[in-house]
Amino acid sequence: MPSKSAKPRRSRPRETASTRRIAIVAFPGVTLLDISGPAQVFAELAAIELPGPGYSLCYLSASGGLVPTDVGMMVDTAAIDSVRPHQVDTLVIPGGPGIWEIRNDAPLMQWISQTLPKARRVASVCLGAFALAWTGVLDGKRAATHWRYCPRLQDSFPNVRVEPNAIFVKDGRVWSSAGVSAGIDLALAMIEEDFGHTTALDVARRLVVFLKRPGGQSQFSTVLAAQASDVEGRFSALHAWIIENIASDLRVETLAAKAGMTPRTFARTYTSRTGMTPASGVEALRVETARLLLESSQVGGVVEIAKRAGFGDDERMRRAFLRHLGVSPTEYRNRFSGG
């Protein structure tokens, strides 16, 4: 019978020869969801019968013990020296306001640098991309980070090809993602790579999240981007009206009348406020509408969706999708159907 005074043993994931170790780095001021989002996705695999080795999760910090996150909650960690670099299958570096301090944490950065070339796969979430960039592993590669910090990442590391709108980017074995929830998209994509679309879809359904936002999809919806540019909200009502009447004739004269302006004044004002011409704005909102319809299995084929989104025909919609998303409508739908 164990002694009542004995300290409880720290629970650890079951690690066997048939599991792949995912090491998630923690540091003071790390964003909680940057850790918990991907971790929850990976952990869901435990309830699924897998076609290959599963994952074992570990949370590491420079000295081990409790690490405060950006919201004050603590993450219990093991020390980095408890895991050797060659024992890591996937290394995940999250972001958070504390990221700027870890560059001066020599033991932690040394461990990360030693682990990067040995791990099968490395990844960053949000500002974690800066930690990867400091090691040089992003040189010559495409990368994503939170949209607010894309200019800083690009200016600081000109050899990195920053993709400012991407939710996540996979360049070889190096992955990077945008802010917070994008880490969930990245983790789902990793599961899909390792175990296939069906398993990733099962995990997504268990977590009640979409599988999966394409990595090249914008961090913002068209509506949010337009609203962010239109700081005074002058065209918010117009955008709502356009969406409600997306299949209608939305030429400039119609929009100008709805906005109470002459066509010439409307075109000039709209462009200066939103950064898009009226025609570009309408097309972007139609792409957004079609995109959401394509994600639904309850809606018909591409031709029907093209009509419902106001494109008129599927070829016009296809060209618009290629301009805005870099994929055709059929390719976009296949990402959600597994086709």
Side-chain angles (χ1 to χ4, degrees), residues 230-271:
D230 181 22
V231 292
E232 295 179 1
R234 182 136 185 205
F235 296 113
S236 295
L238 177 64
H239 289 146
W241 181 85
I242 290 173
I243 293 171
E244 292 174 357
N245 298 274
I246 199 69
S248 302
D249 181 356
L250 298 175
R251 65 185 67 187
V252 171
E253 291 78 9
T254 302
L255 301 180
K258 187 67 181 177
M261 302 179 187
T262 65
R264 184 174 180 179
T265 300
F266 169 75
R268 182 177 66 251
T269 306
Y270 185 90
T271 301

mmCIF file of all heavy atoms in Angstrom, residues 230-271:
data_model
loop_
_atom_site.group_PDB
_atom_site.id
_atom_site.type_symbol
_atom_site.label_atom_id
_atom_site.label_comp_id
_atom_site.label_asym_id
_atom_site.label_seq_id
_atom_site.Cartn_x
_atom_site.Cartn_y
_atom_site.Cartn_z
ATOM 1 N N ASP A 230 -12.394 50.179 -43.958
ATOM 2 C CA ASP A 230 -13.416 51.219 -43.874
ATOM 3 C C ASP A 230 -13.635 51.563 -42.399
ATOM 4 O O ASP A 230 -14.632 51.191 -41.792
ATOM 5 C CB ASP A 230 -14.710 50.702 -44.518
ATOM 6 C CG ASP A 230 -15.837 51.725 -44.492
ATOM 7 O OD1 ASP A 230 -15.543 52.930 -44.370
ATOM 8 O OD2 ASP A 230 -17.004 51.311 -44.593
ATOM 9 N N VAL A 231 -12.649 52.267 -41.821
ATOM 10 C CA VAL A 231 -12.620 52.473 -40.373
ATOM 11 C C VAL A 231 -13.842 53.224 -39.856
ATOM 12 O O VAL A 231 -14.227 53.074 -38.704
ATOM 13 C CB VAL A 231 -11.332 53.213 -39.952
ATOM 14 C CG1 VAL A 231 -10.135 52.330 -40.173
ATOM 15 C CG2 VAL A 231 -11.168 54.536 -40.708
ATOM 16 N N GLU A 232 -14.454 54.062 -40.687
ATOM 17 C CA GLU A 232 -15.629 54.816 -40.242
ATOM 18 C C GLU A 232 -16.922 54.034 -40.450
ATOM 19 O O GLU A 232 -17.995 54.494 -40.084
ATOM 20 C CB GLU A 232 -15.700 56.150 -40.984
ATOM 21 C CG GLU A 232 -14.533 57.082 -40.667
ATOM 22 C CD GLU A 232 -14.614 58.385 -41.443
ATOM 23 O OE1 GLU A 232 -15.595 58.556 -42.201
ATOM 24 O OE2 GLU A 232 -13.712 59.213 -41.307
ATOM 25 N N GLY A 233 -16.804 52.861 -41.053
ATOM 26 C CA GLY A 233 -17.993 52.035 -41.261
ATOM 27 C C GLY A 233 -18.967 52.609 -42.264
ATOM 28 O O GLY A 233 -20.165 52.299 -42.225
ATOM 29 N N ARG A 234 -18.461 53.410 -43.195
ATOM 30 C CA ARG A 234 -19.357 54.102 -44.125
ATOM 31 C C ARG A 234 -20.121 53.126 -45.021
ATOM 32 O O ARG A 234 -21.255 53.389 -45.408
ATOM 33 C CB ARG A 234 -18.548 55.063 -44.990
ATOM 34 C CG ARG A 234 -19.397 55.865 -45.966
ATOM 35 C CD ARG A 234 -18.984 57.283 -45.995
ATOM 36 N NE ARG A 234 -19.845 58.090 -46.815
ATOM 37 C CZ ARG A 234 -19.460 59.225 -47.379
ATOM 38 N NH1 ARG A 234 -18.228 59.650 -47.203
ATOM 39 N NH2 ARG A 234 -20.291 59.932 -48.095
ATOM 40 N N PHE A 235 -19.476 52.010 -45.369
ATOM 41 C CA PHE A 235 -20.103 51.085 -46.307
ATOM 42 C C PHE A 235 -20.523 49.767 -45.667
ATOM 43 O O PHE A 235 -20.786 48.797 -46.371
ATOM 44 C CB PHE A 235 -19.159 50.824 -47.482
ATOM 45 C CG PHE A 235 -18.881 52.049 -48.309
ATOM 46 C CD1 PHE A 235 -17.616 52.610 -48.328
ATOM 47 C CD2 PHE A 235 -19.883 52.643 -49.051
ATOM 48 C CE1 PHE A 235 -17.351 53.740 -49.074
ATOM 49 C CE2 PHE A 235 -19.641 53.775 -49.810
ATOM 50 C CZ PHE A 235 -18.373 54.334 -49.826
ATOM 51 N N SER A 236 -20.601 49.718 -44.342
ATOM 52 C CA SER A 236 -21.000 48.482 -43.663
ATOM 53 C C SER A 236 -22.403 48.045 -44.076
ATOM 54 O O SER A 236 -22.644 46.870 -44.376
ATOM 55 C CB SER A 236 -20.943 48.673 -42.139
ATOM 56 O OG SER A 236 -19.630 48.896 -41.713
ATOM 57 N N ALA A 237 -23.326 49.005 -44.086
ATOM 58 C CA ALA A 237 -24.702 48.675 -44.476
ATOM 59 C C ALA A 237 -24.768 48.239 -45.929
ATOM 60 O O ALA A 237 -25.524 47.323 -46.281
ATOM 61 C CB ALA A 237 -25.609 49.882 -44.237
ATOM 62 N N LEU A 238 -23.958 48.876 -46.774
ATOM 63 C CA LEU A 238 -23.946 48.509 -48.185
ATOM 64 C C LEU A 238 -23.425 47.084 -48.359
ATOM 65 O O LEU A 238 -23.987 46.307 -49.149
ATOM 66 C CB LEU A 238 -23.078 49.485 -48.978
ATOM 67 C CG LEU A 238 -22.927 49.168 -50.475
ATOM 68 C CD1 LEU A 238 -24.278 49.257 -51.176
ATOM 69 C CD2 LEU A 238 -21.915 50.111 -51.131
ATOM 70 N N HIS A 239 -22.362 46.739 -47.643
ATOM 71 C CA HIS A 239 -21.832 45.384 -47.756
ATOM 72 C C HIS A 239 -22.868 44.355 -47.316
ATOM 73 O O HIS A 239 -22.995 43.288 -47.943
ATOM 74 C CB HIS A 239 -20.561 45.245 -46.914
ATOM 75 C CG HIS A 239 -19.389 45.969 -47.473
ATOM 76 N ND1 HIS A 239 -18.432 46.561 -46.680
ATOM 77 C CD2 HIS A 239 -19.021 46.225 -48.755
ATOM 78 C CE1 HIS A 239 -17.519 47.135 -47.453
ATOM 79 N NE2 HIS A 239 -17.858 46.949 -48.706
ATOM 80 N N ALA A 240 -23.597 44.648 -46.262
ATOM 81 C CA ALA A 240 -24.640 43.724 -45.809
ATOM 82 C C ALA A 240 -25.717 43.576 -46.870
ATOM 83 O O ALA A 240 -26.216 42.467 -47.129
ATOM 84 C CB ALA A 240 -25.244 44.228 -44.496
ATOM 85 N N TRP A 241 -26.068 44.685 -47.503
ATOM 86 C CA TRP A 241 -27.086 44.647 -48.562
ATOM 87 C C TRP A 241 -26.593 43.857 -49.770
ATOM 88 O O TRP A 241 -27.341 43.083 -50.372
ATOM 89 C CB TRP A 241 -27.450 46.078 -48.976
ATOM 90 C CG TRP A 241 -28.514 46.123 -50.033
ATOM 91 C CD1 TRP A 241 -29.870 46.082 -49.852
ATOM 92 C CD2 TRP A 241 -28.298 46.201 -51.455
ATOM 93 N NE1 TRP A 241 -30.516 46.125 -51.061
ATOM 94 C CE2 TRP A 241 -29.582 46.203 -52.069
ATOM 95 C CE3 TRP A 241 -27.170 46.274 -52.263
ATOM 96 C CZ2 TRP A 241 -29.737 46.268 -53.452
ATOM 97 C CZ3 TRP A 241 -27.331 46.339 -53.636
ATOM 98 C CH2 TRP A 241 -28.594 46.343 -54.232
ATOM 99 N N ILE A 242 -25.316 44.026 -50.126
ATOM 100 C CA ILE A 242 -24.743 43.279 -51.253
ATOM 101 C C ILE A 242 -24.835 41.781 -50.991
ATOM 102 O O ILE A 242 -25.227 41.002 -51.865
ATOM 103 C CB ILE A 242 -23.276 43.686 -51.493
ATOM 104 C CG1 ILE A 242 -23.207 45.120 -52.043
ATOM 105 C CG2 ILE A 242 -22.605 42.719 -52.471
ATOM 106 C CD1 ILE A 242 -21.791 45.653 -52.158
ATOM 107 N N ILE A 243 -24.475 41.353 -49.777
ATOM 108 C CA ILE A 243 -24.505 39.931 -49.442
ATOM 109 C C ILE A 243 -25.932 39.389 -49.525
ATOM 110 O O ILE A 243 -26.160 38.277 -50.015
ATOM 111 C CB ILE A 243 -23.915 39.709 -48.039
ATOM 112 C CG1 ILE A 243 -22.411 40.029 -48.048
ATOM 113 C CG2 ILE A 243 -24.138 38.274 -47.574
ATOM 114 C CD1 ILE A 243 -21.780 40.049 -46.693
ATOM 115 N N GLU A 244 -26.897 40.181 -49.081
ATOM 116 C CA GLU A 244 -28.296 39.748 -49.134
ATOM 117 C C GLU A 244 -28.817 39.681 -50.563
ATOM 118 O O GLU A 244 -29.778 38.959 -50.851
ATOM 119 C CB GLU A 244 -29.165 40.700 -48.312
ATOM 120 C CG GLU A 244 -28.912 40.624 -46.815
ATOM 121 C CD GLU A 244 -29.691 41.677 -46.046
ATOM 122 O OE1 GLU A 244 -30.386 42.490 -46.719
ATOM 123 O OE2 GLU A 244 -29.618 41.695 -44.816
ATOM 124 N N ASN A 245 -28.197 40.432 -51.467
ATOM 125 C CA ASN A 245 -28.644 40.490 -52.863
ATOM 126 C C ASN A 245 -27.525 40.076 -53.815
ATOM 127 O O ASN A 245 -27.399 40.603 -54.916
ATOM 128 C CB ASN A 245 -29.112 41.915 -53.196
ATOM 129 C CG ASN A 245 -30.283 42.355 -52.349
ATOM 130 O OD1 ASN A 245 -31.433 42.083 -52.674
ATOM 131 N ND2 ASN A 245 -29.989 43.031 -51.245
ATOM 132 N N ILE A 246 -26.725 39.113 -53.379
ATOM 133 C CA ILE A 246 -25.492 38.773 -54.083
ATOM 134 C C ILE A 246 -25.728 38.283 -55.512
ATOM 135 O O ILE A 246 -24.869 38.431 -56.380
ATOM 136 C CB ILE A 246 -24.697 37.716 -53.280
ATOM 137 C CG1 ILE A 246 -23.234 37.686 -53.731
ATOM 138 C CG2 ILE A 246 -25.355 36.351 -53.378
ATOM 139 C CD1 ILE A 246 -22.442 38.893 -53.370
ATOM 140 N N ALA A 247 -26.900 37.705 -55.789
ATOM 141 C CA ALA A 247 -27.181 37.191 -57.132
ATOM 142 C C ALA A 247 -27.821 38.244 -58.038
ATOM 143 O O ALA A 247 -28.113 37.951 -59.201
ATOM 144 C CB ALA A 247 -28.074 35.956 -57.048
ATOM 145 N N SER A 248 -27.995 39.451 -57.534
ATOM 146 C CA SER A 248 -28.642 40.505 -58.313
ATOM 147 C C SER A 248 -27.647 41.218 -59.224
ATOM 148 O O SER A 248 -26.437 40.958 -59.174
ATOM 149 C CB SER A 248 -29.298 41.525 -57.371
ATOM 150 O OG SER A 248 -30.234 40.904 -56.522
ATOM 151 N N ASP A 249 -28.161 42.140 -60.020
ATOM 152 C CA ASP A 249 -27.317 42.977 -60.875
ATOM 153 C C ASP A 249 -26.690 44.048 -59.983
ATOM 154 O O ASP A 249 -27.379 44.964 -59.519
ATOM 155 C CB ASP A 249 -28.170 43.614 -61.969
ATOM 156 C CG ASP A 249 -27.339 44.477 -62.923
ATOM 157 O OD1 ASP A 249 -26.128 44.629 -62.684
ATOM 158 O OD2 ASP A 249 -27.912 44.997 -63.897
ATOM 159 N N LEU A 250 -25.391 43.927 -59.739
ATOM 160 C CA LEU A 250 -24.719 44.821 -58.783
ATOM 161 C C LEU A 250 -23.713 45.724 -59.484
ATOM 162 O O LEU A 250 -22.593 45.896 -59.041
ATOM 163 C CB LEU A 250 -24.031 43.992 -57.691
ATOM 164 C CG LEU A 250 -24.969 43.134 -56.831
ATOM 165 C CD1 LEU A 250 -24.180 42.270 -55.865
ATOM 166 C CD2 LEU A 250 -25.972 44.012 -56.083
ATOM 167 N N ARG A 251 -24.140 46.338 -60.557
ATOM 168 C CA ARG A 251 -23.260 47.265 -61.250
ATOM 169 C C ARG A 251 -23.090 48.538 -60.424
ATOM 170 O O ARG A 251 -23.843 48.784 -59.459
ATOM 171 C CB ARG A 251 -23.821 47.577 -62.635
ATOM 172 C CG ARG A 251 -25.147 48.306 -62.629
ATOM 173 C CD ARG A 251 -25.669 48.468 -64.056
ATOM 174 N NE ARG A 251 -26.010 47.161 -64.629
ATOM 175 C CZ ARG A 251 -26.357 47.005 -65.908
ATOM 176 N NH1 ARG A 251 -26.391 48.042 -66.723
ATOM 177 N NH2 ARG A 251 -26.669 45.804 -66.353
ATOM 178 N N VAL A 252 -22.132 49.362 -60.789
ATOM 179 C CA VAL A 252 -21.788 50.551 -60.014
ATOM 180 C C VAL A 252 -22.982 51.461 -59.827
ATOM 181 O O VAL A 252 -23.198 52.017 -58.734
ATOM 182 C CB VAL A 252 -20.623 51.315 -60.681
ATOM 183 C CG1 VAL A 252 -20.412 52.669 -59.996
ATOM 184 C CG2 VAL A 252 -19.343 50.502 -60.623
ATOM 185 N N GLU A 253 -23.782 51.645 -60.857
ATOM 186 C CA GLU A 253 -24.940 52.537 -60.756
ATOM 187 C C GLU A 253 -25.914 52.082 -59.668
ATOM 188 O O GLU A 253 -26.467 52.902 -58.927
ATOM 189 C CB GLU A 253 -25.666 52.603 -62.113
ATOM 190 C CG GLU A 253 -24.896 53.325 -63.209
ATOM 191 C CD GLU A 253 -23.802 52.473 -63.810
ATOM 192 O OE1 GLU A 253 -23.733 51.239 -63.502
ATOM 193 O OE2 GLU A 253 -23.000 53.007 -64.603
ATOM 194 N N THR A 254 -26.090 50.764 -59.554
ATOM 195 C CA THR A 254 -26.989 50.217 -58.530
ATOM 196 C C THR A 254 -26.438 50.464 -57.137
ATOM 197 O O THR A 254 -27.162 50.890 -56.220
ATOM 198 C CB THR A 254 -27.188 48.711 -58.750
ATOM 199 O OG1 THR A 254 -27.703 48.482 -60.060
ATOM 200 C CG2 THR A 254 -28.149 48.127 -57.728
ATOM 201 N N LEU A 255 -25.147 50.214 -56.960
ATOM 202 C CA LEU A 255 -24.515 50.406 -55.653
ATOM 203 C C LEU A 255 -24.488 51.878 -55.264
ATOM 204 O O LEU A 255 -24.699 52.233 -54.098
ATOM 205 C CB LEU A 255 -23.091 49.839 -55.677
ATOM 206 C CG LEU A 255 -22.945 48.360 -56.018
ATOM 207 C CD1 LEU A 255 -21.474 47.956 -56.009
ATOM 208 C CD2 LEU A 255 -23.736 47.494 -55.051
ATOM 209 N N ALA A 256 -24.207 52.744 -56.246
ATOM 210 C CA ALA A 256 -24.162 54.185 -55.977
ATOM 211 C C ALA A 256 -25.518 54.692 -55.514
ATOM 212 O O ALA A 256 -25.618 55.479 -54.564
ATOM 213 C CB ALA A 256 -23.706 54.934 -57.227
ATOM 214 N N ALA A 257 -26.577 54.219 -56.167
ATOM 215 C CA ALA A 257 -27.920 54.642 -55.774
ATOM 216 C C ALA A 257 -28.236 54.174 -54.363
ATOM 217 O O ALA A 257 -28.837 54.912 -53.566
ATOM 218 C CB ALA A 257 -28.939 54.085 -56.769
ATOM 219 N N LYS A 258 -27.823 52.953 -54.036
ATOM 220 C CA LYS A 258 -28.068 52.431 -52.697
ATOM 221 C C LYS A 258 -27.294 53.234 -51.652
ATOM 222 O O LYS A 258 -27.768 53.442 -50.530
ATOM 223 C CB LYS A 258 -27.642 50.961 -52.633
ATOM 224 C CG LYS A 258 -28.003 50.267 -51.333
ATOM 225 C CD LYS A 258 -29.497 50.131 -51.184
ATOM 226 C CE LYS A 258 -29.870 49.454 -49.880
ATOM 227 N NZ LYS A 258 -31.329 49.379 -49.681
ATOM 228 N N ALA A 259 -26.094 53.714 -52.024
ATOM 229 C CA ALA A 259 -25.268 54.494 -51.101
ATOM 230 C C ALA A 259 -25.635 55.972 -51.096
ATOM 231 O O ALA A 259 -25.085 56.744 -50.308
ATOM 232 C CB ALA A 259 -23.802 54.337 -51.468
ATOM 233 N N GLY A 260 -26.538 56.384 -51.997
ATOM 234 C CA GLY A 260 -26.956 57.775 -52.063
ATOM 235 C C GLY A 260 -25.915 58.693 -52.657
ATOM 236 O O GLY A 260 -25.775 59.847 -52.228
ATOM 237 N N MET A 261 -25.175 58.210 -53.650
ATOM 238 C CA MET A 261 -24.128 59.000 -54.293
ATOM 239 C C MET A 261 -24.250 58.895 -55.807
ATOM 240 O O MET A 261 -24.927 58.000 -56.332
ATOM 241 C CB MET A 261 -22.724 58.494 -53.893
ATOM 242 C CG MET A 261 -22.416 58.492 -52.429
ATOM 243 S SD MET A 261 -20.733 57.840 -52.157
ATOM 244 C CE MET A 261 -20.697 57.756 -50.370
ATOM 245 N N THR A 262 -23.580 59.788 -56.485
ATOM 246 C CA THR A 262 -23.465 59.643 -57.924
ATOM 247 C C THR A 262 -22.479 58.505 -58.205
ATOM 248 O O THR A 262 -21.605 58.224 -57.369
ATOM 249 C CB THR A 262 -22.945 60.925 -58.590
ATOM 250 O OG1 THR A 262 -21.593 61.166 -58.148
ATOM 251 C CG2 THR A 262 -23.824 62.121 -58.226
ATOM 252 N N PRO A 263 -22.588 57.832 -59.336
ATOM 253 C CA PRO A 263 -21.661 56.731 -59.637
ATOM 254 C C PRO A 263 -20.200 57.140 -59.546
ATOM 255 O O PRO A 263 -19.372 56.387 -59.014
ATOM 256 C CB PRO A 263 -22.043 56.327 -61.066
ATOM 257 C CG PRO A 263 -23.504 56.663 -61.147
ATOM 258 C CD PRO A 263 -23.647 57.937 -60.365
ATOM 259 N N ARG A 264 -19.865 58.320 -60.041
ATOM 260 C CA ARG A 264 -18.472 58.747 -60.036
ATOM 261 C C ARG A 264 -17.970 58.978 -58.616
ATOM 262 O O ARG A 264 -16.872 58.533 -58.238
ATOM 263 C CB ARG A 264 -18.318 60.022 -60.865
ATOM 264 C CG ARG A 264 -16.872 60.486 -60.998
ATOM 265 C CD ARG A 264 -16.783 61.658 -61.938
ATOM 266 N NE ARG A 264 -15.397 62.118 -62.089
ATOM 267 C CZ ARG A 264 -15.034 63.119 -62.882
ATOM 268 N NH1 ARG A 264 -15.952 63.767 -63.598
ATOM 269 N NH2 ARG A 264 -13.766 63.468 -62.958
ATOM 270 N N THR A 265 -18.764 59.682 -57.804
ATOM 271 C CA THR A 265 -18.379 59.941 -56.417
ATOM 272 C C THR A 265 -18.301 58.647 -55.621
ATOM 273 O O THR A 265 -17.376 58.431 -54.827
ATOM 274 C CB THR A 265 -19.377 60.895 -55.746
ATOM 275 O OG1 THR A 265 -19.390 62.127 -56.456
ATOM 276 C CG2 THR A 265 -19.003 61.149 -54.294
ATOM 277 N N PHE A 266 -19.263 57.754 -55.853
ATOM 278 C CA PHE A 266 -19.278 56.479 -55.147
ATOM 279 C C PHE A 266 -18.026 55.662 -55.458
ATOM 280 O O PHE A 266 -17.373 55.140 -54.545
ATOM 281 C CB PHE A 266 -20.522 55.675 -55.521
ATOM 282 C CG PHE A 266 -20.468 54.252 -55.037
ATOM 283 C CD1 PHE A 266 -20.658 53.942 -53.691
ATOM 284 C CD2 PHE A 266 -20.209 53.214 -55.920
ATOM 285 C CE1 PHE A 266 -20.583 52.628 -53.244
ATOM 286 C CE2 PHE A 266 -20.133 51.903 -55.492
ATOM 287 C CZ PHE A 266 -20.329 51.605 -54.148
ATOM 288 N N ALA A 267 -17.688 55.562 -56.745
ATOM 289 C CA ALA A 267 -16.530 54.765 -57.143
ATOM 290 C C ALA A 267 -15.256 55.295 -56.498
ATOM 291 O O ALA A 267 -14.422 54.530 -56.000
ATOM 292 C CB ALA A 267 -16.393 54.747 -58.660
ATOM 293 N N ARG A 268 -15.100 56.616 -56.507
ATOM 294 C CA ARG A 268 -13.901 57.224 -55.939
ATOM 295 C C ARG A 268 -13.863 57.020 -54.419
ATOM 296 O O ARG A 268 -12.827 56.654 -53.843
ATOM 297 C CB ARG A 268 -13.865 58.714 -56.275
ATOM 298 C CG ARG A 268 -12.601 59.422 -55.762
ATOM 299 C CD ARG A 268 -12.563 60.884 -56.179
ATOM 300 N NE ARG A 268 -13.633 61.661 -55.561
ATOM 301 C CZ ARG A 268 -14.681 62.130 -56.231
ATOM 302 N NH1 ARG A 268 -14.798 61.903 -57.534
ATOM 303 N NH2 ARG A 268 -15.614 62.827 -55.616
ATOM 304 N N THR A 269 -14.984 57.252 -53.749
ATOM 305 C CA THR A 269 -15.032 57.144 -52.288
ATOM 306 C C THR A 269 -14.873 55.702 -51.820
ATOM 307 O O THR A 269 -14.145 55.419 -50.861
ATOM 308 C CB THR A 269 -16.358 57.714 -51.756
ATOM 309 O OG1 THR A 269 -16.541 59.043 -52.234
ATOM 310 C CG2 THR A 269 -16.384 57.716 -50.239
ATOM 311 N N TYR A 270 -15.529 54.788 -52.509
ATOM 312 C CA TYR A 270 -15.452 53.378 -52.113
ATOM 313 C C TYR A 270 -14.016 52.864 -52.219
ATOM 314 O O TYR A 270 -13.515 52.189 -51.315
ATOM 315 C CB TYR A 270 -16.379 52.541 -52.995
ATOM 316 C CG TYR A 270 -16.448 51.086 -52.575
ATOM 317 C CD1 TYR A 270 -17.397 50.656 -51.646
ATOM 318 C CD2 TYR A 270 -15.576 50.140 -53.103
ATOM 319 C CE1 TYR A 270 -17.463 49.332 -51.244
ATOM 320 C CE2 TYR A 270 -15.626 48.809 -52.711
ATOM 321 C CZ TYR A 270 -16.571 48.411 -51.785
ATOM 322 O OH TYR A 270 -16.615 47.097 -51.386
ATOM 323 N N THR A 271 -13.362 53.216 -53.312
ATOM 324 C CA THR A 271 -11.983 52.760 -53.522
ATOM 325 C C THR A 271 -11.051 53.318 -52.456
ATOM 326 O O THR A 271 -10.196 52.606 -51.921
ATOM 327 C CB THR A 271 -11.497 53.166 -54.919
ATOM 328 O OG1 THR A 271 -12.351 52.585 -55.901
ATOM 329 C CG2 THR A 271 -10.065 52.693 -55.152
#
